[in-house]
Amino acid sequence: MAYYEGGKRSRYFAADKKRSVLLKKLRSKDKIYPSIQRRGYYSDLITTEANLGEFEDLQVGPSTAQPTLWNVKTEKHVPRADALQYASEDVNKQLQKQVYGPDTGVFVKKRKSGESCASGVDFPTSAFEPKVQLPTNHKPGERPRKIELERLRRLFARLDLPLLLKERGVKTELLMPKQHKNLNIILMMDPSDPAPFPPYLPLHIFDNIEFDCRTPKDWMKLGDMTMARHPIPSLCLLPVKDEDGDKDPTDPSIEYDWFDAGVLDYCHNTNLYFVQRVDENCRIVNPDGETVINGSIDPVTGKRIIHRNQFWIERWRVMFRAEDPRIFADRVAFAYQARRRCEAELRYTLYIDCMPMDGLGDLSPENFASIERRAHSTPGLAKYKKYETRFYFSMQ
């Protein structure tokens, strides 16, 4: 069959024929769909060895191995209640041992002796992030901000503050001054120290705030979360015993050491931080086992509830986990050395002022003239010879 297109004679292709027939069927009002015909599959080999009992129903499909969780939900796998042969008081102990895999509960681990609580379930994740001066969107080849944050966070967690202070010549037992009774001062038996006197001035007087990378307001923002302010992880210089918190901080019987704690609040009037030491599970909780939030302030009465393991301390006794322990150690060492120099100058001035003058005679005018002549002979005072020097002395 042929047709004319543009004045030329053309022929139909086979595909065009089928397409034209299909278009006519689709354009018709009564659409006719092709019927599905069953197909049979036959084998070329016919044998009588087939066992009809081995064939299964072909409409069911293969069997699947159900997961263990699905099997547990079935009735035949549910354990009977009489299978638990435990006493009522031992059920909780047995349930604690039978923990398989992760769950949605709060997992706490008891801290071992000397182990640090660098993280905890009561602390926000953002409270561990150091301060980094890098843009969020980095250029190709530059260090990404998230990688730098993670590197510094891991570095700060590995550094040991007591060891850093020891390298800088700072003794933890001498950071807090002691008040001696009856003015009996016990000298420190240190042959390398020329002035083995115990400290008596508070260290916060010599604290240099230039070492701080954040303001107190910025530090407290690290604990802000939805509808509450959570504790901020830190390492604080606190009394070893909780009952020593009610005593005078300069009491000689109090022993201080660095402990993991959480910063709860800050007072702008006294410049003190309100902290709480972590428990054996590395948590900051109240006696009811709940996380201490909003600075331990009761939402009903608006009053602060202070427990035995909570203290008000100065800034130099608080090292936040988000700051560099090396810079904090330099800060404490700077204040430690400044206090030593100040105390040495005070002792020097006191010794001169209290020097006894009994039995000492007065200098004669000839001695004063000799002193003046020798003083003017020095190169620094030779040009001041034209000025007359007058000496006032009293003859007794």
Side-chain angles (χ1 to χ4, degrees):
M1 182 177 181
Y3 67 96
Y4 289 89
E5 180 180 1
K8 296 181 180 181
R9 189 169 181 270
S10 301
R11 297 181 60 185
Y12 276 116
F13 292 100
D16 295 337
K17 295 179 180 180
K18 294 181 180 179
R19 187 179 304 170
S20 60
V21 175
L22 181 61
L23 289 175
K24 290 180 181 180
K25 292 183 179 180
L26 293 177
R27 290 174 183 174
S28 61
K29 296 182 180 180
D30 299 334
K31 296 181 179 180
I32 301 174
Y33 296 96
S35 59
I36 300 176
Q37 299 179 358
R38 294 185 179 181
R39 297 181 180 181
Y41 296 92
Y42 301 91
S43 174
D44 295 338
L45 300 177
I46 301 175
T47 61
T48 58
E49 297 178 358
N51 188 4
L52 297 178
E54 296 180 357
F55 292 97
E56 299 179 356
D57 191 358
L58 300 179
Q59 298 180 357
V60 176
S63 60
T64 58
Q66 300 295 341
T68 307
L69 294 178
W70 184 88
N71 292 332
V72 170
K73 294 181 180 180
T74 57
E75 183 177 357
K76 63 179 181 179
H77 293 92
V78 175
R80 296 179 59 85
D82 55 359
L84 301 175
Q85 303 295 334
Y86 302 113
S88 58
E89 60 273 5
D90 297 337
V91 172
N92 294 331
K93 296 181 180 179
Q94 295 296 331
L95 292 177
Q96 292 178 359
K97 296 180 181 179
Q98 299 177 2
V99 178
Y100 304 100
D103 56 3
T104 58
V106 178
F107 176 73
V108 294
K109 178 182 178 181
K110 291 189 176 182
R111 179 180 54 176
K112 300 179 182 179
S113 178
E115 185 180 0
S116 175
C117 290
S119 61
V121 296
D122 300 322
F123 301 128
T125 307
S126 59
F128 295 91
E129 295 182 356
K131 189 174 183 179
V132 177
Q133 302 292 342
L134 289 177
T136 304
N137 300 325
H138 65 283
K139 298 180 181 179
E142 294 182 352
R143 201 166 43 239
R145 178 183 176 86
K146 292 184 178 180
I147 293 180
E148 183 65 17
L149 285 173
E150 184 63 20
R151 287 178 178 177
L152 290 179
R153 187 190 66 81
R154 296 184 181 185
L155 175 62
F156 295 170
R158 291 196 305 266
L159 296 177
D160 187 12
L161 180 60
L163 182 59
L164 294 175
L165 293 176
K166 186 177 180 180
E167 293 176 354
R168 289 159 175 78
V170 178
K171 298 181 180 179
T172 303
E173 61 273 12
L174 299 179
L175 291 176
M176 295 295 295
K178 303 296 183 180
Q179 183 180 6
H180 300 277
K181 299 181 180 180
N182 301 326
L183 299 179
N184 294 328
I185 300 177
I186 302 176
L187 298 180
M188 299 178 296
M189 303 304 296
D190 189 358
S192 61
D193 192 356
F197 294 96
Y200 59 90
L201 294 178
L203 197 63
H204 69 87
I205 301 176
F206 309 93
D207 188 19
N208 189 357
I209 61 175
E210 296 296 332
F211 288 94
D212 216 334
C213 61
R214 289 186 175 97
T215 61
K217 184 178 180 181
D218 294 336
W219 282 121
M220 299 310 301
K221 283 184 178 180
L222 295 179
D224 291 344
M225 295 184 67
T226 305
M227 303 298 292
R229 186 178 71 247
H230 284 242
I232 306 171
S234 61
L235 189 67
C236 302
L237 184 65
L238 302 174
V240 176
K241 300 180 181 178
D242 293 338
E243 53 270 15
D244 292 339
D246 300 333
K247 299 180 181 179
D248 188 359
T250 60
D251 194 334
S253 62
I254 301 179
E255 182 180 358
Y256 291 90
D257 202 354
W258 296 98
F259 294 95
D260 289 289
V263 179
L264 305 178
D265 204 352
Y266 173 76
C267 180
H268 296 275
N269 298 328
T270 59
N271 296 329
L272 298 179
Y273 288 86
F274 188 54
V275 302
Q276 178 177 342
R277 193 196 341 248
V278 299
D279 58 3
E280 59 181 3
N281 296 324
C282 298
R283 299 197 60 189
I284 305 294
V285 295
N286 55 18
D288 297 334
E290 301 176 353
T291 304
V292 180
I293 59 175
N294 298 327
S296 187
I297 297 178
D298 191 354
V300 179
T301 61
K303 297 182 180 180
R304 191 185 307 277
I305 304 175
I306 301 179
H307 305 289
R308 295 180 61 88
N309 58 345
Q310 296 176 349
F311 310 90
W312 287 98
I313 59 178
E314 298 86 1
R315 173 64 180 91
W316 69 269
R317 296 171 58 182
V318 181
M319 189 200 74
F320 292 93
R321 289 295 183 180
E323 66 176 318
D324 194 343
R326 296 167 297 185
I327 298 179
F328 183 81
D330 294 338
R331 177 177 186 169
V332 177
F334 175 84
Y336 184 81
Q337 299 298 335
R339 183 178 64 178
R340 292 191 60 183
R341 291 193 299 268
C342 181
E343 292 178 349
E345 293 178 0
L346 290 177
R347 283 193 297 266
Y348 174 77
T349 306
L350 179 64
Y351 296 160
I352 294 178
D353 293 341
C354 298
M355 185 177 295
M357 303 294 294
D358 299 340
L360 296 178
D362 298 329
L363 296 176
S364 61
E366 292 79 7
N367 294 333
F368 277 111
S370 176
I371 295 174
E372 180 183 2
R373 183 176 63 257
R374 296 187 182 189
H376 284 170
S377 64
T378 58
L381 297 177
K383 57 183 178 179
Y384 296 105
K385 286 184 178 181
K386 60 181 180 179
Y387 297 103
E388 181 181 359
T389 304
R390 298 180 180 180
F391 296 94
Y392 297 92
F393 59 94
S394 60
M395 302 295 295
Q396 297 180 359

